[in-house]
Amino acid sequence: AKSKDNRLAFAFIATAFLFFFIGTICGLLQGLVRGGVIKQLPYWLDYYKVLTTHGVSLALLFTTNFIYGFFFAGVHKTMGNLSAKVRAAGWGGFWLMIIGTIMAVVTVLAGDASVLYTFYAPLKASPFFYIGLALWVIGSWVSGIAMMAHYFQWKKQHPQETTPLFGYMVVGTNLLWITACLGVAATVVLQMIPWSLGMTDKINILLSRTLFWYFGHPLVYFWLLPAYAYWYVSIPKLIGGKIFSDSLARLSFILFLIFSIPVGFHHQLMEPGIGEGWKFIQVSLTLMVVIPSLMTAFSMFASFESAGRRKGATGLFGWWKKLPYGDVRFLSPFLGMLFFIPAGIGGIINTSYQLDEIVHNTLWVVGHFHITVGAAVVMSFFGITYWLVPHLTGRTFSKSMNRLGILQVVLWAVGMFIMSTAMHVLGLYGAPRRTAYSTYGNDPVALDWFHGLVANQLYLPIGAFLLFLSSMLMVYLFIHLAFLAPKATADERVDFPISEAEHPEEKPPVILDKWKLWVGICVVLILLAYSVPVMDMLHHSPASPGYRTW
Ligand code: HAS
């Protein structure tokens, strides 16, 4: 039912779907251009403008707004009503993010910021774009701190009780986000805004890219962790099981907090100006951050097996037949998990220096991030949407909606499979990413490369079209669940699924709750991995003039 807290959560979710709508339309256009179906977009709809809108709307705006909606709903569910102050701060953050977003999106649509979602210097956008970004980051901090304040208030009022797992995960994710954003805030406020305002005429590119990736890699875990929260906290309940280990789940979040920041150089392996020793350190730390994902995979298999055995499954793999594939709340994240297996392998390939030399800046990387964030994460968000929206609006979720939901997620999975496989293959054949000239001026050699049976650019628009159909169905289903479905009676109410622990008597070790300790270790690792190279960049890396995109 609609409480004041649920209204806040709903505001985040509804705006998330607005950005999803804009971003997925741009996705279709791009697929058509990259596949050579549309030779060239009209001049007012330049390819790079579309690509920037696609990346910013989906990777930055849809994800963040969705995550905050999900988190606010979850902390309300597990730790009770927000205090008036906390709720006001949540709304304050929301509006700051909206103002920042409008500034950035309008600037992009006006063609004054076709700098892509990574806004690498020396590409220079209008100052409104950067100021919008800065406001958006500050807004996200305000809302994030509000959620954490709710958790710590709860903890104070219940000193003897184990902190709820969901709230714990919200704190871990927000600490990760706030620490990560320091990098992007530094480059935007100290480098890019003065430069785009004309106060400085040159910019230290290596430093700005380093500060960006200091933020950019933990950004991907900021997307992933809410999906993991759903996997750990809700999936066991949906499959009729229990959380395999509460402590393991907490430990995996701590490991993400510690290891996901000092690894940004694995995006810069091909860049000169950073010593190989420093790249080596950060690659080693990247391999450490794989461990909590392997722990999560292990934990999911354990939950599936124990839920299956509870339902009478026997043998090593009998549980496989007992999972509720007909329930979209489960099917969607489950398909996402399947995507995440090759996605994780691809990530390990990317971080291996010599292999990255082959795939860097090719469509392979685009394939990698479409099956990580575009499948594992987003399919988890779809699964959440089907119960969260009716939960927040007090409406019903009927069997026919579930069937349409299954159609939507299957379309997404098939479209994503076709498109991302093609991206990986084309990337290995050498197709570059981020180019509008996808038929390479009809160069016969390029056409020969990309028009085979296996490596064919046409798979991109085919996949993109199915993804587009799926996204429009998702938008329709969102609108239906939010505004049109019948109001639920007391019996029909859709609940927020929270699982019980397999062994509730086992309390998680107290040390896991010592946030200061974990943030301290995180800071030490960041200093170890970054301070010398950054000092070096400050002193030795030359500044460069910009390239105005408007
Ligand atoms: Fe990545 C580039 C390395 C994970 C997103 N990545 C990107 C970019 C994005 C992105 C957006 O080292 C492009 C940035 C740009 O625009 O330039 N990535 C990694 C590594 C991991 C990884 C080592 N990435 C992610 C996740 C993302 C994401 C997660 C989004 C959410 N990535 C890289 C590197 C680059 C990169 C380089 C730069 C490349 C370049 O050259 O530019 C790891 O975290 C992956 C660990 C994951 C696993 C998988 C565990 C499997 C699980 C599922 C279990 C399944 C079950 C179901 C239980 C080890 C948990 C099974 C049921 C059955 C019945 C079978």
Side-chain angles (χ1 to χ4, degrees), residues 234-241 300 303-304 307-308 311 322-324 330:
S234 303
I235 295 279
K237 170 114 180 177
L238 297 176
I239 62 175
M300 286 303 113
S303 294
F304 292 166
K311 292 181 183 168
K322 302 282 179 191
L323 294 173
F330 168 74

Side-chain angles (χ1 to χ4, degrees), residues 117-118 120 213 217 220-221 223-224 228 231 256 266-267 269 286-287 289-290 293-294 296-297 300-301 304 319-320 334 337-338 340-341 343-348 350-352 356 359-361 365 368-369 372-373 377 433-434:
Y117 88 108
T118 43
Y120 286 150
W213 284 117
H217 197 74
V220 313
Y221 297 119
W223 302 328
L224 182 69
Y228 275 9
W231 298 4
F256 274 114
H266 72 222
H267 292 265
L269 292 176
T286 307
L287 294 171
V289 81
V290 169
S293 280
L294 295 176
T296 305
M300 286 303 113
F301 278 111
F304 292 166
W319 50 268
W320 167 255
F334 179 73
M337 289 176 203
L338 294 181
F340 203 43
I341 297 173
I345 296 172
I348 296 169
N350 296 345
T351 202
S352 311
D356 192 50
V359 298
H360 182 63
N361 270 345
V365 173
H368 166 68
F369 69 68
T372 47
V373 63
V377 170
R433 68 185 284 200
R434 295 182 154 170

Side-chain angles (χ1 to χ4, degrees), residues 8-17 19 58-75 97 136 140 143-144 147 166 169-174 176-177 218-230 253 373 377-378 380-381 384-385 387-388 392 496:
L8 174 60
F10 183 74
F12 275 109
I13 301 281
T15 40
F17 275 100
F19 304 132
L58 291 178
L60 300 179
L61 303 175
F62 166 66
T63 48
T64 310
N65 279 46
F66 190 92
I67 290 166
Y68 279 11
F70 175 46
F71 275 1
F72 270 117
V75 294
M97 286 168 83
W136 179 78
S140 75
S143 289
M147 286 178 227
F166 192 90
M169 292 175 158
V170 167
V171 173
T173 312
N174 273 303
L176 173 77
W177 176 246
L219 167 70
V220 313
Y221 297 119
F222 171 69
W223 302 328
L224 182 69
L225 292 188
Y228 275 9
Y230 181 44
F253 270 60
V373 63
V377 170
V378 167
S380 303
F381 290 1
I384 294 169
T385 303
W387 53 261
L388 182 59
L392 294 176
F496 194 121

Side-chain angles (χ1 to χ4, degrees), residues 82-415:
L82 306 181
S83 70
K85 260 193 199 156
V86 165
R87 197 179 319 110
W91 277 111
F94 172 80
W95 285 113
L96 270 176
M97 286 168 83
I98 292 291
I99 295 169
T101 300
I102 292 173
M103 284 178 74
V105 171
V106 168
T107 320
V108 173
L109 291 177
D112 293 343
S114 295
V115 289
L116 312 187
Y117 88 108
T118 43
F119 50 93
Y120 286 150
L123 293 180
K124 192 199 258 186
S126 141
F128 285 104
F129 177 76
Y130 302 115
I131 297 171
L133 276 180
L135 284 177
W136 179 78
V137 168
I138 296 169
S140 75
W141 280 348
V142 173
S143 289
I145 290 171
M147 286 178 227
M148 293 201 288
H150 185 54
Y151 174 87
F152 288 111
Q153 279 169 2
W154 184 95
K155 207 173 154 186
K156 225 181 194 169
Q157 288 156 4
H158 305 81
Q160 304 306 331
E161 288 177 43
T162 307
T163 48
L165 182 57
F166 192 90
Y168 185 88
M169 292 175 158
V170 167
V171 173
T173 312
N174 273 303
L175 285 174
L176 173 77
W177 176 246
I178 291 168
T179 321
C181 283
L182 294 172
V184 74
T187 180
V188 167
V189 174
L190 302 176
Q191 291 189 284
M192 296 193 165
I193 292 180
W195 173 60
S196 69
L197 285 171
M199 290 154 69
T200 50
D201 58 351
K202 288 186 175 173
I203 187 162
N204 183 334
I205 295 175
L206 187 57
L207 180 65
S208 73
R209 288 169 68 105
T210 300
L211 289 171
F212 179 84
W213 284 117
Y214 164 99
F215 153 82
H217 197 74
L219 167 70
V220 313
Y221 297 119
F222 171 69
W223 302 328
L224 182 69
L225 292 188
Y228 275 9
Y230 181 44
W231 298 4
Y232 277 115
V233 174
S234 303
I235 295 279
K237 170 114 180 177
L238 297 176
I239 62 175
K242 294 191 172 176
I243 301 172
F244 165 68
S245 163
D246 182 283
S247 306
L248 179 144
R250 287 173 201 249
L251 180 63
S252 76
F253 270 60
I254 290 292
L255 293 178
F256 274 114
L257 174 60
I258 295 176
F259 290 117
S260 61
I261 301 174
V263 297
F265 284 170
H266 72 222
H267 292 265
Q268 298 175 280
L269 292 176
M270 297 304 120
E271 274 177 45
I274 303 169
E276 251 127 60
W278 296 108
K279 288 179 181 169
F280 177 76
I281 290 180
Q282 297 215 8
V283 161
S284 310
L285 291 168
T286 307
L287 294 171
M288 294 297 288
V289 81
V290 169
I291 293 172
S293 280
L294 295 176
M295 285 163 58
T296 305
F298 172 76
S299 190
M300 286 303 113
F301 278 111
S303 294
F304 292 166
E305 181 178 344
S306 78
R309 290 199 190 284
R310 240 173 253 267
K311 292 181 183 168
T314 51
L316 206 52
F317 296 112
W319 50 268
W320 167 255
K321 294 190 200 125
K322 302 282 179 191
L323 294 173
Y325 303 107
D327 179 347
V328 69
R329 301 170 305 166
F330 168 74
L331 180 71
S332 193
F334 179 73
L335 291 172
M337 289 176 203
L338 294 181
F339 271 107
F340 203 43
I341 297 173
I345 296 172
I348 296 169
I349 290 174
N350 296 345
T351 202
S352 311
Y353 194 110
Q354 290 83 343
L355 298 181
D356 192 50
E357 286 179 325
I358 300 169
V359 298
H360 182 63
N361 270 345
T362 69
L363 271 180
W364 165 284
V365 173
V366 186
H368 166 68
F369 69 68
H370 277 85
I371 52 175
T372 47
V373 63
V377 170
V378 167
M379 296 198 79
S380 303
F381 290 1
F382 292 154
I384 294 169
T385 303
Y386 286 114
W387 53 261
L388 182 59
V389 174
H391 168 73
L392 294 176
T393 55
R395 293 180 188 270
T396 53
F397 178 58
S398 63
K399 286 207 172 109
S400 57
M401 281 289 111
N402 185 55
R403 274 198 294 274
L404 279 174
I406 289 180
L407 174 67
Q408 184 265 319
V409 301
V410 169
L411 271 174
W412 189 272
V414 174

